[in-house]
Amino acid sequence: MRKVKFFSNRGMWAVVFKDITSIFRDRQLLITIVLAPLFYMIVYGFALNPSVQELSLGVVDYAQTTASREFIAILATSDVVTPRVETLQEKDLQRSLMAGDIKVALVIPPNFERRLAEDKLADVQLLIDGVDANRVGIIQSYLSQIIRQYRYGNDNLPESSLINLQTKILYNPGLVSSWYFVPGVVGVILTAISTFAASSTMTAEKDYGTFEQLSLTPLRPWELIVGKLIPLLGIVLFMVLIANFFSQIVFDLPFRGSWLMFLITTSVYILLTSELGLLVGLLNQNLLQAFLTTLFINVPLVQLSGAYTPIEAMPSFFQTLTLVNPLRHYIFILRSVLIKGVGFQLLWQPLLFLMIVTLGLFVLCLSLFKRQKIS
């Protein structure tokens, strides 16, 4: 009897049909419910890849012989190394590693071919960027396997390879994994806090009915936007400084770079994410809509940033897509400043990109605010 009464309750079914109609009318909510899970599944499935693929490799070839060129060609044709192996001069080697242009470097000695011809060990130096401590072992294992297959000794066993690989881990010789993850986590938390805080302050104006009053003030639109950005900048920057000191104490995270570079980059990125949050707040009418929109935006930003998974492990399409991701550039700068001690001379390009995006988002916020003010 209860089941019959349950299915015959007209009032309840009226509510069900009303809510279904409301959901289908709300395009934003419908997109979030239906398309978001599919989108996240695709991003997570391709971006979260722990394998090592298309590893950027730089080579300093002092030998310049047939044997050394053959050795480089074998590395380039493997699935691990990117097809374009960069041949460097010794003076450019350190710069390329610090700038992140290459992750691994090989130094081939002048006597390489002669040692092999005499069936003697030929020393080859392998330099690995140790910022991502979790991948160092995988990289070393992959390259060692490829190199051992290059040329064996008389008994044709891999253990008797004539290549003696001398490995040196740079920047993180202790292979502390937290040094890689902590800057990424800081960038992720900063993004989440800034976007949500900014969007909530803007939607609060609409919820409380003060947005119209704000529009009627004699202040110009850019002054109103700047007035909302300054408090967010101060609060979030203070949070980042606390997180940085905490990570130095708890995780022994080094700070080898410039404080000025760190503060400038962080301030620019806080403004960028706060403007993104204001934009979301202007486009939505209430806090729930703003929350769903920021969630929809932040998840792909995080997964395509290299915060947790190296960008080199992603498919080519997603690697290209990360180039327009501001979080990717901020985390790259953060790791370079903290762990490598890199300065403005090598980081001006990603910093310039963040500044351009910040300016573009400010213009968008200004334009959208003016439209809503007129309407």
Side-chain angles (χ1 to χ4, degrees), residues 60-64 68 107-113 122-125:
V60 178
D61 185 6
Y62 288 115
Q64 295 291 329
S68 64
V107 181
I108 302 175
N111 62 349
F112 181 77
E113 186 171 33
D123 295 329
V124 174
Q125 188 177 27

Side-chain angles (χ1 to χ4, degrees), residues 24-282:
F24 275 93
R25 285 178 179 176
D26 191 339
R27 292 183 180 180
Q28 184 176 357
L29 183 60
L30 187 64
I31 290 173
T32 303
I33 294 174
V34 177
L35 296 184
L38 296 175
F39 179 72
Y40 294 155
M41 182 183 66
I42 293 172
V43 172
Y44 274 82
F46 283 105
L48 297 180
N49 185 356
S51 63
V52 177
Q53 296 174 344
E54 294 192 359
L55 188 67
S56 53
L57 174 67
V59 176
V60 178
D61 185 6
Y62 288 115
Q64 295 291 329
T65 60
T66 303
S68 64
R69 285 189 285 270
E70 179 186 346
F71 179 55
I72 296 171
I74 289 176
L75 291 173
T77 54
S78 68
D79 295 332
V80 178
V81 178
T82 182
R84 187 182 66 84
V85 175
E86 190 172 350
T87 304
L88 303 168
Q89 302 294 325
E90 184 179 6
K91 60 181 180 180
D92 301 324
L93 182 63
Q94 188 71 15
R95 179 185 178 88
S96 297
L97 282 166
M98 292 186 69
D101 297 332
I102 59 173
K103 297 297 182 183
V104 180
L106 278 175
V107 181
I108 302 175
N111 62 349
F112 181 77
E113 186 171 33
R114 179 173 56 83
R115 298 285 294 182
L116 292 179
E118 297 174 355
D119 284 340
K120 295 180 180 179
L121 285 177
D123 295 329
V124 174
Q125 188 177 27
L126 177 65
L127 305 175
I128 303 177
D129 184 344
V131 172
D132 185 358
N134 292 335
R135 291 212 312 161
V136 169
I138 301 174
I139 293 171
Q140 187 175 356
S141 177
Y142 281 178
L143 291 179
S144 298
Q145 184 178 1
I146 296 169
I147 290 170
R148 282 200 304 267
Q149 293 173 353
Y150 166 66
R151 186 172 293 184
Y152 303 143
N154 295 329
D155 55 2
N156 202 33
L157 293 174
E159 289 78 6
S160 62
S161 172
L162 296 175
I163 307 296
N164 180 30
L165 203 59
Q166 298 178 339
T167 305
K168 183 178 181 181
I169 311 299
L170 303 177
Y171 314 121
N172 187 7
L175 299 181
V176 183
S177 59
S178 59
W179 289 12
Y180 177 79
F181 287 108
V182 169
V185 171
V186 170
V188 170
I189 294 174
L190 190 158
T191 303
I193 290 177
S194 297
T195 52
F196 182 71
S199 63
S200 63
T201 57
M202 185 58 72
T203 53
E205 300 285 357
K206 298 179 180 180
D207 289 339
Y208 298 145
T210 57
F211 184 80
E212 291 77 9
Q213 297 176 8
L214 196 66
S215 303
L216 295 174
T217 60
L219 293 175
R220 287 170 288 187
W222 72 266
E223 293 175 323
L224 292 171
I225 293 175
V226 170
K228 283 190 166 296
L229 290 174
I230 290 177
L232 292 170
L233 174 62
I235 294 171
V236 179
L237 182 60
F238 180 70
M239 181 275 296
V240 173
L241 290 174
I242 292 177
N244 180 68
F245 286 123
F246 181 82
S247 62
Q248 290 184 32
I249 295 172
V250 176
F251 300 106
D252 198 26
L253 185 71
F255 196 109
R256 295 169 177 161
S258 166
W259 271 102
L260 181 62
M261 183 69 187
F262 171 79
L263 291 173
I264 290 175
T265 303
T266 302
S267 299
V268 169
Y269 188 70
I270 292 172
L271 290 175
L272 187 154
T273 49
S274 298
E275 288 168 1
L276 184 61
L278 289 180
L279 199 61
V280 170
L282 288 168

